[in-house]
Every structure is written in structure tokens, then in C-alpha cells.
Amino acid sequence: MKQLILAEKPSVARDLARVLGCKQQNKSYIEGPKHIVTWALGHLVELKMPEDYDKQYKQWRLEDLPIIPKHMGLKVIRQVSPQFRAIEQLAKRKDISELVIATDAGREGELVARWIMEKVRWQKPVKRLWISSQTDKAIRDGFNQLKPAKQYDNLYQSAVCRSEADWLIGLNVTRALTTKYNDPLSAGRVQTPTLAMILEREQEINAFQPKDFWTIDATIGMLKATWEHNGEKRLFEEKKATEIVSKVKGQQATVSSLQKKEKTEAHPMPYDLTELQRDANRRFGFSAKKTSSVLQKLYEQYKLVTYPRTDSRYLTKDMENTMFDRLQGMSSGYREEVQPLLKQKGNVVAKKVFNDSKVTDHHAIIPTDEPLHLGDLDNDERKLYDLIARRFLALFYPAYRLETLTATLNVAGETFMARETLVLDPGFKVLSGKEEESPRALANLKEGQSLSVKEVNTEKKLTEPPSRFTEADLLSRMEKYSLGTPATRADIIERLLGSEVLDRKNNKLHPTPKGKQLIELVNDELKSPELTAKWEQDLEAIARGKGNPKEFLENIRKQTKQLVMEIKSSSQEYRAHNLTGSKCPECGKLLKEVKGRDGKVLVCSDRECSYRRRKDPKLSNRRCPQCHKKMELHNGKAGTYFQCKPCNVVEKADDKKKKVTKREERQLLKKYSANNKEDEGFGNSLADALKAAMKDKK
């Protein structure tokens, strides 16, 4: 008897098969003496769409909403149905005794596997492979410690609740807004409060009124000092600033107090996904989506880092004895930093990182013990790996220790402050490669000492508005309000950009006119980060076995009805921001300008009309039969066509992808029999018959 192992992706399946000794390669699986490894292609099964319950829902109508099925059904995704059928056939084999779920060890990975199991009606025993890295050792250890699948039932329930909640709220609210205002308007449980936060910041920027203020700096003896009063360094009256300058210029300053404080900067903890996305955005301008993609390659293809989609920055206590091997693995790329640590037997200084209670499904992102070959990585992969590696290495170095010196200087009744920082021990900051200078001007001062005021200057400045969010800022806000999960936040941001409610300019996120209008139309409750945060907390409670899935979904259904009712009864108005002065050649309504894959595209503003053409037509390789110049490629209601404007020649594009069914083959053979040889080059073969038939059809 054999184990059937279900991975999430073919690349992971190949690694599992290699480690397990499976060598017999088939189209949809890899078989060995004791195991058969197959794979999904991401999701193979999804929730049914409205039209699967009733064909009338294929057309979007406001009066049909809300659509709330009594029971949410599943269907196989058509594009990947061959792989599903292959798994279905494997499940029926009598030599298979049990299934091992080896999809990604997280909420969505659990959903991928369980939905496939439900559709193939799996009845045999099930176990779970739960690993945090893809190295051969981790895979072998994982298979030696397989968990009962029942242990993850609550995680699956949480995943189902998340999926159904997003379907019910996202689909109904999006259809309601789109049909009421006749424009594609997307809303959802997580994306809408995220957009609302960006709009709130935009309102703060627009409402901001800049003010003039002045600062005063002085050279006192050898010191650079700044005027302060009760911690405030700014003066909002020019007259007051001028008076202070006149008052202290040329005077003697007295050192009224000296303060020394020793500080210790704690080791930075290893990365979770959100913190890594933030740092990569600040340092390299990476989008959250790009960081996720590069990180997935480091994990899955190169096996150099542990599981990416984690929300923990701690490690489990049993990992302490793996530190030496991890250092050895990365030593080829970090010889100078690692060699002293290996001599200390990989002893971690920051012991607080080992905390079982702070690790839920997965520990922090750290290097694996896989040998590092930096030459195999491209520039972006090296940058991201370097962030992870240096954050990990910091755990082995001492803490950063410094001493702050603060001198308070009294000049004619005014207070000036001078500050310096002395580095006592650079500790883990030596990894940054930057040597911090330690000035010594304050070290020799004494209280009561008198110094001459040599120079006093004022500088006029303007108060600045709050800055627009970078992706790093937005990720912090999403984390604070529990909007989405580390695994989904990047996709949420990309969805907002794709639906043209946000723009990304110079690494800053700007709301578009469409986004501003959309937030005005959306229900107040759906805009609230607090409501979404509560939903996420409920989902987390369900995953931990402390929540009630049935109660959660009942509340979501009530919420869906309320949200749709509010949109239906709303008196708000909407005007598409991207309307042009041009009219649709097919229905006469105004055209809109939207972003397409190949640039700007003009589409009809009426959703019922499917007219669409490129604003700047794309030149094809098709040549005009008259002037032989390249023809323009257009997309119209009747399909794709080529046009040569100078000659006014139009040719319909050939449908090369059309397949001929078996029934059509028989009909064609009958029609084009061996006796019919009028067509040049026609013979007796099926291929010749089909060729002649297709030529006739054209």
C-alpha cells in the first residue's frame, strides 16, 4: 500500500518526490515504491459563482441582490480541471492507503487540500505534513513526524469562513455598486477599509494649512547648541525670535547642568513577512507584492530561507541547537561575519528570541542550513536575502550600547541645549558596516563652566503636512488594525492599484478620482477598520478552536443584507472620472479611458456594450494586401480585427485556437470525401480534410 501526497505546486512536489525516492514520472504525478506525489496548481476548487446556482445571475442586476445561497457549493476550476481529474483517478486506486496533505502550512494551504478532498469524496485516513522550510532535512524530519489531519480542522473552518465571508460581502457589494452606478466599482471586507485609510490621510493633507516658524542655533564655545523652551524648539513669532537673538548675542553662557545616560538598544528580532515587506520597501522601493514573490523563490526554489507567510518574529526553543548548522550554511557568503560566531559554537546572545508561546503556526523568517551560493541569485534576490541574513546574524552579536550626554546652557535667561552620543559598544551594528563617529566636545565640560556665545542664527521654516503613505506605512497600518493577514496584504494593495482607485507614484500611494468617489458611495460600516479587525479576530479565534464558525457566518449574512439594502436606498450620485468626449461607434454613449495591458484603452461607458479599442492602436505583423504596410490591431464587439486606415482595408483575425470536436471531424470527413478533390492539395487523410474544411470556413 502507498501514501498519496498532495502538494500545492509542481515544484514542491518534485522536491518531495526526490527526497522520498519517487522516480517514475507521469504527467500529473510522480510515483515511487511507497509514495505517489501529486500536486494542485494553487486552487483547483473554488466556491460556486452566482450563475452556478441560477443562470439568471449571469447578468448583473440590482434587483437580484443580495445573492445569499443557503449552502455554499464548490466547483472545479475549468482551466485546471485536467489536474483535478488526475487526482480524482489517483484517489480511486486500491493500492493507496492514506493521504498526506503537503500543501503550504497555513490557512490557505489547508483550504486548497480540503476542498480537493471534499470534491473527490476522500474517505481514507489523512495525515498532515507541517514544515517551515523546504530543505531535504526538513522534509525528511517532517515525514518522520506527520501530524493527524484532525489537528488542523479548526484552521480549515477558519479558512472556509474567510472565503465565504469574502464571497458574500465582496461579491454582493461590488455587484450592487457596479449596477447602481453603471461603472466597475469594487469593494470588499479588507480592501475598502484599506482604501478608506488612504483617503483619510489625503483629507488631512488637503486640510493642512502651513505655518511659518523659526529655530535658533548658536555656537557656544566649541559646542553647537539649539534654543529650547519646555522641549519646544520652534517659535511661531518672528519678533520673538529676533528678540532672543539680540538678547543672547555676545553674552556668556553658563553650563547649568550635565546629564549622562547609558542606553542599550536591544537586538532587532528576526523578520516576519510584514516587517520584511516594510524594510524592503523603505530600503529598495520594493512593492509588497514584489517582496512576496522574491521571498517565495528564496524559500521554494533555492531553499535558503524558512516559510515566508509568517506573522511571528520568534523562534521555538528546540531550534537553538540548529543555529550552528544555519551559520555554516550561509558562511560562504558571509565568511567575515560568520567565522567568529562558529568559533563560539553558534551561541545566540539574544536568548529572548526563543519563545514557544510567541510562535503560532510558523516561526520567524531566518536562513536555512542549505549551502549558500550567492552567484545563483539575481540582484533582487541577493538584496532580500541580505536583509534576512543580517537580521539573523544580529542575534549572535552583543547589544548596541551608547551613552548620551546632554548639556543645558543658560544665556541671559534663555535655555540652549547641546547633545552628543558616545558609542560604548557597537554590538550588532557592526553588521551594517557603518562606523559611527563619537564626538567628545561635551565630555570635558563641567557644571558652572562659563563659555562665550560666538554666533547666533535664526532659520525660517514651514510646517509640513503629513506625508502620503508608502507601502511600508500602509502595511504598518494594516497590521495595526488587523486588516488581512501577512499572506494577503500584498494582494490587497495590488487589487486596489489594479481597480484604478489607487496610483503608485515615486513609491507613494495616491487615491485617484475614482477612489475618492468610491469611498463616498460605500457604506460607513464597511469603511471601518475596527469592524474588519473584529472579523479577523473572530477568524483567528475560530482557527484556535475558540470561535463559532456558524455564528460568524450568520453575522456575515446579516451584514451582507444590510450593506446591499443601504446601497439600494442611497441617493448618492456618481460620474465616471475618465469619460472622454468621444462617442461609442456601436451604441453612441461616451467612451471611457482605462488602463490596459498594452497602454490606454477606450471602452464604452455602458456596461452592456462591450466595445473596446486601444487609444493608440497597436501595430501588428499583418501586412495590408494593397499597400503592404503593417496593419493596426483592434478589439471590437465582433472580435479582433486588423485595419489599414490609409487603404480602408479591414480583415478579421483568424481564430487559430478553435478546436474541432470528434463529431465535427466525422461530418467534415463525410462532406470532404475522397471523391471531392476540387480543392488544391486535398488528399484522403483526416488532416487534409480538416485543412480543406477550415479553408472553406474562412
Side-chain angles (χ1 to χ4, degrees):
M1 301 299 285
K2 298 182 179 183
Q3 279 182 332
L4 178 62
I5 296 155
L6 175 60
E8 192 160 328
K9 298 173 186 171
S11 57
V12 175
R14 284 193 291 271
D15 286 334
L16 298 178
R18 179 176 50 76
V19 173
L20 295 171
C22 302
K23 295 179 181 178
Q24 189 181 330
Q25 183 78 47
N26 290 280
K27 187 178 178 182
S28 304
Y29 61 93
I30 307 168
E31 189 164 354
K34 297 180 181 178
H35 310 88
I36 299 171
V37 184
T38 188
W39 53 85
L41 298 164
H43 278 283
L44 298 183
V45 178
E46 64 182 355
L47 290 171
K48 285 182 178 178
M49 295 306 288
E51 55 269 28
D52 297 316
Y53 296 101
D54 193 325
K55 287 182 181 177
Q56 73 173 35
Y57 293 145
K58 194 164 189 176
Q59 187 177 359
W60 291 24
R61 286 189 296 261
L62 188 61
E63 57 269 25
D64 290 336
L65 302 175
I67 300 168
I68 303 178
K70 287 182 181 178
H71 172 72
M72 302 287 275
L74 298 175
K75 69 171 186 176
V76 177
I77 300 170
R78 185 176 57 82
Q79 294 88 332
V80 290
S81 58
Q83 183 61 24
F84 173 81
R85 286 196 296 273
I87 295 172
E88 194 174 33
Q89 290 304 311
L90 287 171
K92 292 175 182 175
R93 279 179 48 167
K94 293 181 179 179
D95 62 339
I96 289 176
S97 60
E98 64 179 4
L99 174 73
V100 176
I101 299 174
T103 49
D104 280 1
R107 190 164 75 181
E108 285 308 302
E110 200 66 26
L111 195 66
V112 167
R114 299 289 188 113
W115 274 358
I116 292 171
M117 288 165 57
E118 188 172 329
K119 285 299 285 181
V120 302
R121 297 177 181 172
W122 183 265
Q123 299 294 329
K124 297 174 186 177
V126 187
K127 289 180 181 172
R128 188 47 157 119
L129 175 72
W130 195 269
I131 54 177
S132 287
S133 61
Q134 292 288 335
T135 65
D136 291 7
K137 182 178 183 301
I139 292 169
R140 279 193 294 269
D141 290 348
F143 272 96
N144 288 332
Q145 301 168 30
L146 291 173
K147 317 278 187 187
K150 197 169 180 59
Q151 197 172 313
Y152 300 93
D153 285 354
N154 291 326
L155 185 66
Y156 168 57
Q157 289 302 324
S158 173
V160 170
C161 287
R162 193 279 310 155
S163 184
E164 293 191 11
D166 285 347
W167 192 102
L168 289 164
I169 289 176
L171 184 142
N172 279 288
V173 174
T174 295
R175 284 198 177 202
L177 290 167
T178 299
T179 51
K180 184 167 176 89
Y181 301 107
N182 197 30
D183 202 48
L185 296 170
S186 177
R189 187 180 61 88
V190 178
Q191 69 186 62
T192 301
T194 303
L195 176 62
M197 291 193 297
I198 294 170
L199 263 296
E200 188 180 342
R201 174 56 60 90
E202 192 70 16
Q203 288 164 1
E204 290 172 13
I205 294 168
N206 293 335
F208 180 80
Q209 296 292 328
K211 290 182 181 179
D212 294 333
F213 70 92
W214 289 261
T215 58
I216 304 172
D217 295 312
T219 303
I220 302 174
M222 300 294 290
L223 308 176
K224 296 290 182 185
T226 304
W227 176 89
E228 282 189 32
H229 179 68
N230 294 334
E232 177 60 75
K233 298 179 182 180
R234 300 175 299 172
L235 287 154
F236 289 92
E237 296 177 24
E238 187 177 13
K239 183 181 176 184
K240 177 71 174 169
T242 306
E243 286 175 1
I244 293 172
V245 170
S246 302
K247 186 177 175 183
V248 303
K249 193 173 278 187
Q251 298 295 315
Q252 286 294 110
T254 305
V255 181
S256 58
S257 74
L258 278 169
Q259 285 186 325
K260 287 185 181 181
K261 280 188 181 177
E262 190 174 317
K263 294 182 180 178
T264 300
E265 189 176 320
H267 296 79
M269 300 299 285
Y271 284 113
D272 62 9
L273 176 57
T274 303
E275 177 71 5
L276 182 59
Q277 287 170 324
R278 280 198 293 258
D279 263 15
N281 182 253
R282 292 189 192 110
R283 295 276 299 276
F284 314 125
F286 286 6
S287 68
K289 184 70 175 175
K290 179 174 181 176
T291 299
S292 292
S293 299
V294 174
L295 185 60
Q296 190 67 24
K297 279 188 75 178
L298 290 173
Y299 165 68
E300 198 175 287
Q301 182 178 331
Y302 299 107
K303 304 174 182 54
L304 291 174
V305 301
T306 57
Y307 186 76
R309 295 191 285 278
T310 177
D311 60 357
S312 176
R313 299 182 65 189
Y314 289 83
L315 307 174
T316 53
K317 288 178 181 177
D318 61 353
M319 294 178 71
E320 193 167 359
N321 59 13
T322 70
M323 297 295 111
F324 186 86
D325 292 339
R326 294 173 195 274
L327 289 171
Q328 274 195 321
M330 62 191 293
S331 62
S332 63
Y334 296 84
R335 191 171 302 280
E336 196 175 310
E337 295 89 347
V338 167
Q339 285 306 318
L341 308 180
L342 290 174
K343 288 176 184 176
Q344 297 167 19
K345 298 183 180 177
N347 181 47
V348 172
V349 176
K351 297 290 185 185
K352 66 176 182 179
V353 74
F354 300 111
N355 189 334
D356 290 353
S357 65
K358 298 278 188 178
V359 179
T360 50
D361 294 334
H362 294 283
H363 55 71
I365 302 167
I366 60 172
T368 64
D369 56 8
E370 189 79 6
L372 172 65
H373 302 289
L374 278 177
D376 294 345
L377 308 183
D378 66 24
N379 193 38
D380 290 341
E381 291 160 357
R382 284 190 194 188
K383 285 178 178 177
L384 204 62
Y385 181 82
D386 190 62
L387 282 181
I388 297 164
R390 292 189 183 278
R391 183 63 71 92
F392 173 67
L393 290 172
L395 300 172
F396 300 85
Y397 282 77
Y400 175 65
R401 287 175 51 241
L402 64 154
E403 185 178 70
T404 59
L405 304 174
T406 306
T408 306
L409 303 144
N410 190 291
V411 188
E414 299 295 334
T415 302
F416 284 77
M417 307 293 288
R419 295 179 176 86
E420 286 179 357
T421 300
L422 303 176
V423 177
L424 303 176
D425 184 348
F428 63 84
K429 290 209 171 182
V430 297
L431 292 166
S432 64
K434 295 176 184 176
E435 290 292 329
E436 293 193 25
E437 292 183 11
S438 300
R440 297 283 176 181
L442 296 183
N444 300 318
L445 284 183
K446 294 178 181 177
E447 286 190 14
Q449 188 175 341
S450 184
L451 301 166
S452 299
V453 178
K454 295 180 179 178
E455 194 177 336
V456 186
N457 297 305
T458 63
E459 188 178 353
K460 182 181 177 181
K461 298 177 182 177
L462 268 176
T463 55
E464 294 183 354
S467 61
R468 288 186 174 87
F469 288 132
T470 61
E471 285 199 38
D473 301 325
L474 187 58
L475 287 165
S476 296
R477 286 295 187 97
M478 292 174 80
E479 185 177 46
K480 178 183 176 183
Y481 289 105
S482 297
L483 296 180
T485 65
T488 61
R489 286 173 191 140
D491 288 330
I492 294 297
I493 295 171
E494 291 301 318
R495 197 176 302 159
L496 291 169
L497 290 161
S499 59
E500 298 186 324
V501 295
L502 281 187
D503 250 345
R504 190 192 281 124
K505 298 174 186 174
N506 299 322
N507 203 29
K508 299 280 186 181
L509 297 170
H510 297 246
T512 64
K514 181 178 180 178
K516 290 173 184 176
Q517 284 194 84
L518 176 58
I519 283 298
E520 294 298 318
L521 302 175
V522 172
N523 321 65
D524 289 338
E525 207 169 6
L526 196 57
K527 289 184 273 191
S528 163
E530 287 78 11
L531 176 65
T532 304
K534 185 186 179 305
W535 285 337
E536 284 295 342
Q537 287 161 9
D538 290 346
L539 289 171
E540 187 62 27
I542 292 166
R544 302 275 160 258
K546 297 176 182 177
N548 187 327
K550 190 176 178 183
E551 188 180 309
F552 174 83
L553 287 172
E554 280 175 5
N555 289 333
I556 290 290
R557 286 164 183 258
K558 287 176 190 173
Q559 200 82 38
T560 301
K561 289 175 185 175
Q562 182 188 330
L563 293 170
V564 171
M565 184 186 69
E566 286 176 15
I567 294 169
K568 282 183 172 182
S569 59
S570 172
S571 58
Q572 296 262 34
E573 292 185 357
Y574 172 85
R575 178 178 169 80
H577 70 285
N578 51 353
L579 287 173
T580 67
S582 305
K583 289 188 177 180
C584 174
E586 294 181 6
C587 72
K589 295 195 177 166
L590 290 176
L591 293 172
K592 294 185 303 184
E593 184 180 275
V594 298
K595 286 181 183 176
R597 286 184 179 179
D598 301 316
K600 297 286 179 70
V601 177
L602 293 175
V603 299
C604 185
S605 56
D606 187 348
R607 289 187 311 106
E608 300 299 320
C609 176
S610 59
Y611 177 80
R612 177 185 183 93
R613 74 173 174 83
R614 288 185 179 87
K615 188 181 178 187
D616 302 310
K618 185 178 179 182
L619 284 177
S620 69
N621 289 324
R622 182 93 153 228
R623 297 281 179 175
C624 172
Q626 293 182 17
C627 68
H628 302 294
K629 290 183 178 177
K630 287 186 176 181
M631 302 174 80
E632 294 173 354
L633 180 64
H634 294 273
N635 289 310
K637 192 171 184 179
T640 307
Y641 62 91
F642 298 98
Q643 182 179 21
C644 177
K645 283 197 173 177
C647 303
N648 199 26
V649 171
V650 176
E651 290 184 353
K652 190 174 178 183
D654 297 334
D655 188 1
K656 294 179 181 176
K657 292 183 179 179
K658 182 170 175 64
K659 291 183 179 178
V660 181
T661 64
K662 291 288 183 185
R663 185 181 175 188
E664 286 174 327
E665 283 180 6
R666 289 195 296 272
Q667 290 173 341
L668 290 169
L669 279 172
K670 188 176 179 182
K671 183 177 178 182
Y672 291 88
S673 63
N675 297 326
N676 185 0
K677 296 186 180 180
E678 284 95 356
D679 289 297
E680 188 180 347
F682 177 71
N684 290 318
S685 70
L686 172 62
D688 291 332
L690 295 178
K691 190 185 289 185
M694 293 307 289
K695 183 179 176 184
D696 212 39
K697 194 172 181 181
K698 288 175 193 175

